[in-house]
Structure formats: C-alpha cells, structure tokens
Amino acid sequence: HTVNYHAKDMDENILSKMMFQLAKEKITELESSPQNSKGDISPSGFKYENTVSPIEDSNIVRLKTVVEGHGKQVILNELVIHKAEGQTAQK
C-alpha cells in the first residue's frame, strides 16, 4: 500500500511540473504575440487557452494562460503595460 501511495504521489508531482512548464511556455508565447488562442498541446493530451484582457481605464493588459488535462488545471496570469505600436510592453 505504501509503495502504491508514493508512486501515485510521484506521478502527480511529475504531472503538475509538466503542466506548469507547458503553461510557462504558453504565457511566453502570449507575451510575444498577445492574442486570444486555444487548442491542444500534442502529444501531451493537455489543452490550453490564452486570453488577453485590457484592464478598464488603464494602459495595463492582463495575460492569462490556462493549461488543463488529467483532471488538473494550471493558471498563470501576468499584467503588462500596453505601449503604443512599435514599443515594447513592460511586465
């Protein structure tokens, strides 16, 4: 019983780390190309959704990445200053 418990616990940790890494990759893509998107992350079996939401009455934009799969979900949020065309956004 103890071996099975620890094996399952190790699998859960590996799964969580994998999902977090995929979410970091997706939010990095969102930083360089801020547009809503969603889809499957092959061959992992995970799904992702990237959203860009302006914050009311400010020049701040919220970037959000959600990675889901195997009954788990990882959400990363980032606020960036939206600059005029041709300028780089700041975190």
Side-chain angles (χ1 to χ4, degrees):
H1 175 72
T2 301
V3 171
N4 289 340
Y5 171 81
H6 288 292
K8 182 180 178 192
D9 191 44
M10 187 172 78
D11 287 344
E12 292 289 322
N13 287 337
I14 291 169
L15 184 63
S16 295
K17 287 178 184 178
M18 183 186 309
M19 290 179 73
F20 183 71
Q21 183 61 39
L22 290 169
K24 285 180 13 180
E25 290 172 12
K26 288 297 176 188
I27 204 156
T28 298
E29 291 174 14
L30 191 55
E31 290 170 356
S32 62
S33 179
Q35 57 188 349
N36 295 337
S37 63
K38 63 182 176 178
D40 295 324
I41 306 172
S42 295
S44 67
F46 296 112
K47 295 183 181 296
Y48 79 94
E49 183 172 5
N50 286 342
T51 56
V52 179
S53 309
I55 304 295
E56 238 179 272
D57 299 326
S58 74
N59 62 339
I60 297 175
V61 176
R62 176 180 177 218
L63 305 178
K64 179 180 176 183
T65 295
V66 178
V67 173
E68 295 179 307
H70 304 280
K72 293 186 172 290
Q73 185 180 65
V74 171
I75 301 172
L76 296 181
N77 288 288
E78 202 172 274
L79 298 176
V80 296
I81 297 172
H82 181 71
K83 300 256 183 169
E85 287 266 336
Q87 294 181 333
T88 306
Q90 296 179 344
K91 294 186 209 179

